[in-house]
């Protein structure tokens, strides 16, 4: 069973507008969440993370929101730029022995149209 | 600061052979994790090493093994290769304590003929 789900395989957004990527999880033991961006032929690049004690974390154009009761997180990119076009992965980990085992969603391909 | 380095970038093997992949973590990082990425299954966790000890293991057969050296460099070995082992193998490193993000290398693309 998929413990981390990204239900939108793809998303198209106009340059300058907001991109919102969504992620749902089922395992209540997850307490650390991350977003990665991946270009073809490259490894995933870390973007931003959030721990379960927070509900929002910002870094420049990127903001991650966490709704623990709904087991849902989202990544907002404002404003979107053509260079943001990539596959975005949501990942989660638990505490203790599971801290370094990331569980990934299947990814959302973001296309930012100039 | 140098990133995570994986060698080789590409590898072609035949069924039944074995293969060893190498990973050099970011300087100062003591945790190294390995992941397999395939079109069907996505990114899946293989195992994680910290201070030369395997701390966590994913749901893969015993043909997949790894080790970590005293300088934190890590190797991953796959024996008796099967066609289904064709994948991108990614290594990631982190400091190894607390909530710190893992940083990935560009991977080794393994193709089994």
């Amino acid at each position: 069973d998929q413990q981390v789900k990204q239900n939108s395989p793809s998303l198209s957004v106009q340059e300058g507008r907001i991109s919102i990527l969504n992620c749902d999880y089922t395992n209540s033991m997850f307490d650390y969440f991350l977003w990665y961006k991946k270009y073809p032929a490259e490894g995933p690049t870390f973007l931003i993370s959030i721990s379960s004690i927070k509900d929002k974390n910002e870094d420049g154009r990127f903001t991650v929101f966490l709704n623990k009761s709904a087991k849902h997180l989202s990544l907002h990119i404002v404003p979107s730029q053509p260079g943001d076009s990539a596959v975005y992965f949501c990942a989660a980990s638990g505490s203790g022995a599971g801290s370094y085992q990331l569980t990934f969603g299947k990814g959302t391909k973001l296309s930012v149209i100039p | 600061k140098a990133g995570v380095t994986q060698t080789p970038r590409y590898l072609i093997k035949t069924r039944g052979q074995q293969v060893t992949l190498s990973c050099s973590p970011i300087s100062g990082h003591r945790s190294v994790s390995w992941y397999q990425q395939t079109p069907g299954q996505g990114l899946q966790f293989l195992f994680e090493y910290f201070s030369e000890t395997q701390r966590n293991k994913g749901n893969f057969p015993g043909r997949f093994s790894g080790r970590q050296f005293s300088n934190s460099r890590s190797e991953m070995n796959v024996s008796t290769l099967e066609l289904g082992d064709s994948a991108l193998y990614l290594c990631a490193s982190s400091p190894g304590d607390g909530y710190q993000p893992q940083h990935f290398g560009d991977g080794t693309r393994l193709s089994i003929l």
Side-chain angles (χ1 to χ4, degrees):
Chain A
D1 65 329
Q2 260 189 285
Q3 297 186 64
V4 177
K5 297 180 185 179
Q6 293 177 257
N7 291 320
S8 299
S10 62
L11 175 68
S12 289
V13 172
Q14 289 286 335
E15 180 179 3
R17 307 294 291 267
I18 184 171
S19 294
I20 300 176
L21 296 100
N22 293 302
C23 178
D24 297 298
Y25 62 96
T26 58
N27 189 338
S28 58
M29 299 302 291
F30 288 150
D31 62 358
Y32 184 53
F33 304 90
L34 309 92
W35 284 95
Y36 286 86
K37 176 171 75 172
K38 189 177 185 302
Y39 295 117
E42 293 184 11
T45 299
F46 169 71
L47 281 174
I48 192 168
S49 63
I50 188 167
S51 71
S52 60
I53 62 172
K54 292 185 170 184
D55 54 19
K56 177 182 173 182
N57 189 26
E58 279 183 270
D59 185 359
R61 296 187 298 116
F62 302 93
T63 302
V64 56
F65 296 92
L66 175 62
N67 182 334
K68 292 185 289 293
S69 61
K71 293 191 175 67
H72 176 85
L73 64 154
S74 61
L75 174 69
H76 292 208
I77 306 174
V78 184
S80 301
Q81 300 172 354
D84 296 330
S85 297
V87 178
Y88 288 76
F89 290 95
C90 168
S93 69
S95 57
S99 295
Y100 301 97
Q101 174 175 343
L102 292 179
T103 301
F104 283 86
K106 292 289 179 74
T108 296
K109 183 176 182 179
L110 173 66
S111 299
V112 180
I113 304 162
Chain B
K1 194 174 185 182
V4 177
T5 304
Q6 291 188 247
T7 55
R9 287 296 310 275
Y10 302 93
L11 207 47
I12 300 175
K13 292 286 186 179
T14 57
R15 281 181 297 173
Q17 288 187 309
Q18 75 165 20
V19 67
T20 299
L21 312 181
S22 181
C23 173
S24 292
I26 291 170
S27 178
H29 284 190
R30 297 167 64 192
S31 169
V32 173
S33 299
W34 289 89
Y35 295 83
Q36 180 197 65
Q37 185 181 27
T38 58
Q41 298 298 318
L43 275 152
Q44 291 189 291
F45 172 79
L46 281 155
F47 29 66
E48 186 253 349
Y49 287 86
F50 179 82
S51 293
E52 302 178 67
T53 300
Q54 187 182 86
R55 278 200 300 198
N56 212 349
K57 188 177 191 304
N59 189 25
F60 278 82
R63 299 185 298 106
F64 292 82
S65 63
R67 60 177 176 168
Q68 187 181 33
F69 302 95
S70 58
N71 61 358
S72 294
R73 191 178 69 84
S74 177
E75 288 182 347
M76 185 190 117
N77 185 75
V78 188
S79 62
T80 320
L81 287 164
E82 300 177 358
L83 292 177
D85 297 333
S86 293
L88 179 66
Y89 290 89
L90 291 158
C91 167
S93 76
S94 72
D97 54 352
Y99 292 116
Q100 300 273 6
Q102 296 180 23
H103 297 274
F104 285 81
D106 287 335
T108 294
R109 171 71 63 184
L110 175 63
S111 299
I112 311 301
L113 303 179

